[in-house]
Amino acid sequence: MAKKRVLFVCLGNICRSPAGEGVFRGLLEEKGLLDGFEVDSAGTSSYHIGEAPDRRMRQAAAKRGYELNGHSRRLAREDFQRFDLIVAMDRSNMRQIHAADRRGEYRRKVRLFCDFVPGSGLLDVPDPYYGGHDGFERVLDLLESGAHALLEHLQSLPEDDS
Ligand code: 4NP
């Protein structure tokens, strides 16, 4: 069976999307499903290219047992083809992703993360970068709340959804 591939996308690729990647990978690990998936993250901006995830995000994640690895990279053209699902952390990220997909070929692959958070009524995972400690905890709470539905959605996608 082909791997299912999911890409988390935020603005800087140092806070929300690496955390999304880490939390989702944690769920896959817990369920013994890691081999069936490729999980990655990217940013819509080039502000932090090459940087490790934000220390505050890493520390908050580590307390919950998630190790955040990788280095910030910018969303690339090839990502649209490669990934089955592209998950935007907020509506602004989603607009940037749609803008990068100029011909709109891949629109159906792009979803807001909050679509997978049951009953939150939220549209955006709030950007924690300029806020206090609570913002990072809030991001992790939301990511954990949506991870199960996200997994179910990925598992429901047809094999050849490229
Ligand atoms: P992220 O957070 O999009 O969740 O990685 C941010 C990181 C950096 C900036 C904004 C948001 N920044 O403006 O540099």
Side-chain angles (χ1 to χ4, degrees):
M1 223 169 83
K3 285 193 186 206
K4 294 281 171 64
R5 303 178 204 277
V6 57
L7 182 71
F8 293 89
V9 177
C10 63
L11 177 63
N13 190 211
I14 55 169
C15 296
R16 292 165 294 174
S17 61
E21 189 187 336
V23 168
F24 191 63
R25 198 171 275 133
L27 177 66
L28 293 175
E29 203 167 354
E30 184 189 309
K31 293 188 171 285
L33 293 173
L34 262 180
D35 287 351
F37 291 82
E38 179 179 326
V39 190
D40 195 7
S41 65
T44 60
S45 75
S46 49
Y47 302 154
H48 296 276
I49 287 177
E51 291 179 24
D54 185 285
R55 187 175 47 80
R56 298 163 297 173
M57 191 78 253
R58 269 190 283 135
Q59 285 176 348
K63 280 201 217 133
R64 302 190 191 202
Y66 308 112
E67 195 185 326
L68 306 188
N69 299 307
H71 294 91
S72 173
R73 71 171 181 90
R74 194 166 185 185
L75 179 70
R77 273 221 69 73
E78 307 81 70
D79 291 327
F80 287 102
Q81 177 118 52
R82 177 170 188 83
F83 290 91
D84 301 299
L85 182 66
I86 298 175
V87 184
M89 289 294 153
D90 65 28
R91 287 167 289 173
S92 166
N93 306 149
M94 193 176 207
R95 278 193 294 276
Q96 295 295 321
I97 296 166
H98 285 325
D101 171 26
R102 277 187 225 129
R103 287 185 299 197
E105 287 169 88
Y106 301 102
R107 268 187 103 88
R108 74 187 186 290
K109 291 190 176 186
V110 186
R111 295 281 298 271
L112 283 172
F113 183 82
C114 284
D115 287 352
F116 301 102
V117 182
S120 75
L122 284 176
L123 292 167
D124 301 326
V125 176
D127 181 350
Y129 190 68
Y130 291 108
H133 173 75
D134 285 358
F136 294 89
E137 296 297 335
R138 178 81 180 120
V139 167
L140 290 166
D141 288 344
L142 284 167
L143 292 171
E144 287 178 338
S145 303
H148 285 87
L150 180 63
L151 174 58
E152 279 173 22
H153 177 71
L154 273 168
Q155 287 174 320
S156 77
L157 291 177
E159 279 290 307
D160 62 341
D161 194 47
S162 59

